[in-house]
Amino acid sequence: GNSVTQMEGPVTLSEEAFLTINCTYTATGYPSLFWYVQYPGEGLQLLLKATKADDKGSNKGFEATYRKETTSFHLEKGSVQVSDSAVYFCALSDGVQFYFGTGTSLTVIP
Amino acid sequence: SQTIHQWPATLVQPVGSPLSLECTVEGTSNPNLYWYRQAAGRGLQLLFYSVGIGQISSEVPQNLSASRPQDRQFILSSKKLLLSDSGFYLCAWSISGNTEAFFGQGTRLTVV
């Protein structure tokens, strides 16, 4: 079946540090992959996506590359800001259902 | 443009009372619709999804039910709430074919 395994948190970084949140997946077929961000008390917002192997999704300085050979979609940012503090979810879609990781809480301290 | 409305934003209900959470989508037709629950500090649990009017798939047997009376309306219900029903409920929609899901702002339900 389809599933997503995401790096456990919480993660605490200093401002301007490099961020990596690991995500690996198991899927049949050719899923699309996503990163969502959730700020306190809000719904999930799409951060970036990739729909096929070797695609790189990017937004607001965040990047993730769809790696079919390693079944991974790791989230990276070169220099985090305090405003990036949130919970990040990796997800995949088979075209109908969405499968989410357990979320990684990120806190960025000044 | 498409929008999703979910209400109420917060709800405090006594144990044993009924529940009705409503979600509507505007600006699209025949969306896939989803209800998720997020317990405090936990990930998302898919409760129900629907690919069309009257078509409901349940992922987790529990004290809840869902209905889709209209194409863009998705309702989450319970006849008698339990303490364990407390959580953050999220409605979402997507279009089949690997596009992203769009989420509502969520409903914080506290059962007391």
Side-chain angles (χ1 to χ4, degrees), chain B residues 28-45:
Chain B
T28 188
S29 297
N30 197 31
N32 296 333
L33 296 172
Y34 309 85
W35 279 111
Y36 290 89
R37 178 169 59 200
Q38 186 177 26
R42 306 280 294 276
L44 276 72
Q45 179 186 37

Side-chain angles (χ1 to χ4, degrees), chain A residues 30 32 34 36 38 41-44 46 49 51 89 93-98 100-102, chain B residues 32 34 36 38 43-44 46 49 51 59 88 90 94 96-101 103-105:
Chain A
Y30 304 95
S32 291
F34 309 90
Y36 283 84
Q38 184 181 33
E42 298 185 7
L44 276 68
L46 179 69
K49 66 178 181 181
T51 58
F89 291 91
S93 172
D94 60 8
V96 176
Q97 289 199 50
F98 290 80
F100 287 85
T102 53
Chain B
N32 296 333
Y34 309 85
Y36 290 89
Q38 186 177 26
L44 276 72
L46 178 63
Y49 73 95
V51 299
E59 291 298 299
F88 192 51
L90 290 160
S94 74
S96 288
N98 286 340
T99 63
E100 59 267 36
F103 284 81
Q105 287 299 294

Side-chain angles (χ1 to χ4, degrees), chain A residues 11-12 22 28 41 49 52 54 58-59 70 84 93-94 99 110:
Chain A
V11 174
T12 302
N22 290 337
T28 55
K49 66 178 181 181
K52 61 183 187 297
D54 299 325
S58 61
N59 185 27
T70 56
D84 293 326
S93 172
D94 60 8
Y99 302 84

Side-chain angles (χ1 to χ4, degrees), chain A residues 22-103:
Chain A
N22 290 337
C23 172
T24 57
Y25 68 90
T26 301
T28 55
Y30 304 95
S32 291
L33 301 175
F34 309 90
W35 276 100
Y36 283 84
V37 59
Q38 184 181 33
Y39 298 101
E42 298 185 7
L44 276 68
Q45 302 174 27
L46 179 69
L47 181 59
L48 52 84
K49 66 178 181 181
T51 58
K52 61 183 187 297
D54 299 325
D55 269 2
K56 177 187 282 188
S58 61
N59 185 27
K60 299 180 182 179
F62 291 90
E63 293 183 342
T65 301
Y66 190 141
R67 301 286 188 198
K68 192 165 186 283
E69 63 277 11
T70 56
T71 62
S72 65
F73 193 55
H74 304 321
L75 182 68
E76 296 182 337
K77 186 174 185 182
S79 176
V80 294
Q81 305 301 311
V82 172
S83 58
D84 293 326
S85 298
V87 180
Y88 293 82
F89 291 91
C90 185
L92 74 81
S93 172
D94 60 8
V96 176
Q97 289 199 50
F98 290 80
Y99 302 84
F100 287 85
T102 53

Side-chain angles (χ1 to χ4, degrees), chain B residues 33-73:
Chain B
L33 296 172
Y34 309 85
W35 279 111
Y36 290 89
R37 178 169 59 200
Q38 186 177 26
R42 306 280 294 276
L44 276 72
Q45 179 186 37
L46 178 63
L47 301 175
F48 302 94
Y49 73 95
S50 171
V51 299
I53 296 175
Q55 300 178 59
I56 308 294
S57 296
S58 174
E59 291 298 299
V60 181
Q62 57 208 322
N63 187 41
L64 302 169
S65 62
S67 61
R68 185 172 177 171
Q70 300 180 44
D71 181 43
R72 291 169 290 175
Q73 184 183 30

